[in-house]
Amino acid sequence: MDLDRFRPYLTWIALAVALLVPAFASGSLYLLTTASIALVFMIYSEAWNFLAASGQGSLGHAAFFGLGAYASALTASRFGLPPVLTVLFGGLFAAGIGLLIGLTCVRLKEWFLAMVTFGFAIIIQTLMVSQFAGISGGWDGTAAPALVPSSVPFAPYVQYYLILAVLIGVLLAFRALLRGRIGLAFAAIRENEVEARASGIDPVRYRLFAFGLSACVAGIAGALEIHQFGYVTPEVFGTDISFWPIIYSISGGLGTLAGPLVGTVAVTVLWEGLRGIGLTYARFVIVGLLLILTVIFLPNGLVSLPGRIRAWRRRREGEGD
Amino acid sequence: MAIDVGTLLQILFWGLYAGCIYILLATGVNLIFGVMKTVNFAHGELLMIGAYVTWTLFSLTGLNPYLLLVATVPVLLLFGIAVQRLAFRPVLGSHKLNEIFLSIGLIYLFQNGAAMIWGSDYQSIQSPFASMAVTIGSFRLPLDYVIIIAVTIGILVGLQLLLRRTRLGLALRATSQNRKAAMLSGINVERMDMIAFGLGAALAGAAGTLWVVSGQVFDPYMGSVPAVKAFAIVILGGLGSIPGAIIGGLFYGVAESAATYTLGGAWKDAISFIVLIVVLVIRPTGLFGERGE
């Protein structure tokens, strides 16, 4: 089968599948919920991947995911605002904190950046259960009203399509940015910062922009997630939440728009399948092992697999002649 | 509030004691970075594995847990060598982010592998010296604190002797200073990577034993918070600098102890945040670090 013929249509096929998921899931709330959460994590992983495209690998994106979640949940429940609006506030709040954190991070090299972001997520969690426990509800967390009130007909479906719309918006925005001047500047900074500087690109400004926007989108994703769950606890700042977008992006393909989408689908299917056969800790062990193997043997992720297979076939045919 | 000399000494001593585990972790991180130019983000998990190895041996033999240090350290040394050989070496020299992502896979593997083997409940053991204390003037020092500080000093002196007085140490230092020149002088740098990683893991294992004997609870997920503190110390002392890790660790332990005493226990962990930010704003490469790499 020649995959190349389908290539131009892949986007449309993916979109059609995404639109049709609720039809397949009709009657099964579990499938629909899993699909909705997968969409949220696609948004979140795209945010992480956008930051990675600027050469910055964050190990603490749960900080922004969680801050967006808390900001949205608290404004929605305290002031009675509709979650559809407070989600945006969650994003803006995460972006604000993201810019502050970014200011200390943008001048840092890979290791320092990774350590600092890793630390920030854990420390924000600590602050949430100690200093800010009065506002955040401590370890018990706080309630979050549903994204789409259950009075709306077909609420779970409306919610699914709403999240899908956000995802498509995020994808279009990131695509436009990465194909334009900003994408070029990111690539220049990522490959050689000194040369980028010499050609008049200010790395600090671009990195800060990436940080702010990535935090904003991660915050929106966090808010969307907790309005689905109905409550938010400080667990949302955990290392698991920081690491999922990394796992999704890397297994799919780092630095590509399709990567996080492919990775999220593949890992979610695997994850839910392993749950189906009753594994608990072993699931994490398997995912950890797969991540290690991917980094070592398939560093460009699943999206690079067709190309790899084609190259391998061509080589084999060449040998056969 | 008047603070008398006794209280001050107490704070200082707590700080030294808490600093010991962080120093061992941070020294390991820096040793590995010095030689391999890689940061192992799963370093806290090596501490956790060290703690469980000690605990398992203690349950099996019932020996004095301090003696089990002698068994735990070699186990972690070999474990570290295996991890370096199987996981880190294949990606060495590729993009730096790959090594970070690899560590994440290792964190998952180790935490949940430990949960599968040992269960995910909190565990703890009691030191045979738990009720004993050394009295100096007006205040009592738990004997365990004294032993832990002495053991840490012993380990660090031993490490220093290894690095300064042996051919292996010379080779390690040469690799860390200039990898290519070391290679040209006939040093097997890939073997040095393995040894450095093994030593770093062994130090984390020792820290794990000390964690267990000091009576602190542990579970498979205990590693991340001490690891974050070790990273804060590494940043404070400068990446790759072993004296920096020791001075940074002492300073950090005392700062944490003072913050706990004056501001309350909730600030114990948040202080790492403040230390990190202050240092990074003033000097992005750490207090003792060199500019660039």
Side-chain angles (χ1 to χ4, degrees):
Chain A
M1 191 181 72
D2 192 3
L3 274 171
D4 279 344
R5 272 171 45 214
F6 292 102
R7 211 174 188 82
Y9 311 111
L10 273 179
T11 317
W12 298 108
I13 295 170
L15 184 64
V17 170
L19 285 171
L20 286 173
V21 160
F24 293 123
S26 61
S28 165
L29 204 58
Y30 162 72
L31 263 179
L32 193 61
T33 312
T34 307
S36 303
I37 292 174
L39 289 185
V40 168
F41 272 87
M42 284 177 188
I43 299 172
Y44 181 32
S45 306
E46 289 291 349
W48 183 88
N49 206 27
F50 182 73
L51 186 63
S54 74
Q56 306 179 96
S58 158
L59 293 191
H61 244 46
F64 311 125
F65 188 83
L67 285 172
Y70 267 100
S72 179
L74 288 172
T75 44
S77 58
R78 295 280 161 93
F79 306 117
L81 293 168
V84 186
L85 284 180
T86 61
V87 161
L88 294 175
F89 175 73
L92 288 178
F93 185 76
I97 304 285
L99 284 175
L100 284 181
I101 295 180
L103 277 174
T104 63
C105 286
V106 281
R107 289 184 302 155
L108 303 176
K109 292 272 178 269
E110 290 91 348
W111 306 118
F112 282 114
L113 179 71
M115 283 182 207
V116 172
T117 46
F118 187 61
F120 264 112
I122 289 179
I123 288 146
I124 289 179
Q125 184 184 49
T126 312
L127 291 174
M128 275 295 175
V129 296
S130 52
Q131 275 72 42
F132 299 125
I135 312 167
S136 71
W139 278 113
D140 296 333
T142 189
L147 184 62
V148 180
S150 50
S151 55
V152 173
F154 304 109
Y157 296 92
V158 175
Q159 183 171 283
Y160 176 88
Y161 285 114
L162 204 63
I163 298 172
L164 183 63
V166 175
L167 173 65
I168 291 170
V170 165
L171 282 172
L172 290 176
F174 281 167
R175 199 176 85 129
L177 288 173
L178 289 173
R179 287 198 171 175
R181 237 186 109 72
I182 289 174
L184 278 176
F186 279 3
I189 295 166
R190 204 172 56 223
E191 298 308 328
N192 191 332
E193 197 180 320
V194 180
E195 279 175 21
R197 243 180 238 280
S199 14
I201 297 167
D202 178 5
V204 169
R205 263 181 50 208
Y206 282 99
R207 287 214 175 112
L208 206 56
F209 170 74
F211 228 97
L213 187 60
S214 176
C216 176
V217 175
I220 289 174
L224 289 172
E225 157 106 339
I226 54 100
H227 286 297
Q228 275 196 79
F229 270 125
Y231 60 89
V232 53
T233 69
E235 308 267 328
V236 78
F237 296 105
T239 42
D240 275 351
I241 302 288
S242 284
F243 292 169
W244 279 123
I246 307 178
I247 293 173
Y248 292 146
S249 302
I250 292 181
S251 56
L254 192 66
T256 61
L257 271 182
L261 308 180
V262 174
T264 309
V265 172
V267 178
T268 304
V269 168
L270 174 76
W271 188 248
E272 294 301 318
L274 292 174
R275 185 218 292 277
I277 58 172
L279 298 179
T280 51
Y281 297 120
R283 294 201 286 180
F284 286 99
V285 171
I286 291 167
V287 166
L289 264 178
L290 283 178
L291 179 65
I292 295 170
L293 294 175
T294 310
V295 172
I296 296 175
F297 296 110
L298 198 65
N300 294 321
L302 287 169
V303 290
S304 70
L305 200 57
R308 278 258 188 133
I309 292 173
R310 225 176 302 130
W312 176 74
R313 270 202 194 148
R314 211 170 296 140
R315 218 172 326 145
R316 218 181 47 163
E317 278 165 17
E319 276 164 18
D321 288 338
Chain B
M1 182 173 61
I3 297 176
D4 58 302
V5 180
T7 317
L8 217 58
L9 276 175
Q10 195 103 35
I11 292 175
L12 195 70
F13 214 76
W14 278 342
L16 288 182
Y17 152 75
C20 282
I21 283 164
Y22 305 147
I23 289 173
L24 290 174
L25 279 180
T27 306
V29 170
N30 275 342
L31 188 67
I32 295 170
F33 182 84
V35 174
M36 281 174 67
K37 308 291 177 250
T38 292
V39 174
N40 172 30
F41 281 92
H43 212 71
E45 278 55 46
L46 297 173
L47 166 86
M48 177 272 294
I49 292 170
Y52 272 102
V53 169
T54 305
W55 177 70
T56 308
L57 293 172
F58 178 76
S59 317
L60 289 175
T61 63
L63 286 170
N64 184 320
Y66 285 104
L67 285 178
L68 297 172
L69 199 64
V70 183
T72 307
V73 167
V75 170
L76 265 287
L77 180 77
L78 293 177
F79 188 73
I81 289 174
V83 169
Q84 199 280 334
R85 183 67 193 81
L86 295 174
F88 280 98
R89 189 187 288 181
V91 298
L92 212 60
S94 68
H95 198 280
K96 279 180 185 174
L97 287 176
N98 278 343
E99 293 158 11
I100 299 177
F101 302 148
L102 194 75
S103 321
I104 293 173
L106 290 175
I107 291 176
Y108 271 87
L109 191 62
F110 293 162
Q111 284 185 351
N112 297 286
M116 285 173 78
I117 299 170
W118 290 296
S120 59
D121 298 330
Y122 280 110
Q123 303 287 354
S124 73
I125 61 173
Q126 207 174 12
S127 157
F129 309 128
S131 56
M132 293 178 220
V134 182
T135 316
I136 303 173
S138 62
F139 76 112
R140 294 172 40 136
L141 288 176
L143 185 58
D144 281 314
Y145 286 22
V146 181
I147 301 176
I148 286 170
I149 293 170
V151 167
T152 306
I153 293 172
I155 291 172
L156 293 174
V157 169
L159 180 71
Q160 206 58 23
L161 287 176
L162 175 76
L163 290 176
R164 298 277 155 196
R165 293 271 185 275
T166 64
R167 283 196 71 82
L168 174 66
L170 188 68
L172 281 170
R173 283 186 293 136
T175 313
S176 140
Q177 278 169 15
N178 189 333
R179 200 177 171 87
K180 277 189 190 133
M183 222 187 284
L184 287 171
S185 336
I187 294 169
N188 184 343
V189 291
E190 291 197 327
R191 184 177 295 157
M192 292 308 127
D193 287 348
M194 273 162 61
I195 293 170
F197 204 98
L199 286 174
L203 290 172
T209 306
L210 296 183
W211 182 285
V212 170
V213 291
S214 67
Q216 299 190 72
V217 294
F218 53 96
D219 72 353
Y221 311 100
M222 64 169 270
S224 52
V225 172
V228 169
K229 291 177 184 172
F231 294 148
I233 291 162
V234 164
I235 289 169
L236 190 65
L239 194 55
S241 156
I242 291 177
I246 296 169
I247 297 166
L250 287 178
F251 175 82
Y252 186 86
V254 174
E256 188 181 90
S257 163
T260 311
Y261 184 80
T262 52
L263 302 169
W267 283 90
K268 186 168 175 273
D269 293 326
I271 190 83
S272 53
F273 178 68
I274 295 153
V275 169
L276 265 176
I277 296 201
V278 170
V279 173
L280 286 173
V281 168
I282 299 170
R283 240 201 109 137
T285 52
L287 294 180
F288 300 93
E290 289 165 23
R291 293 207 74 80
E293 274 164 15

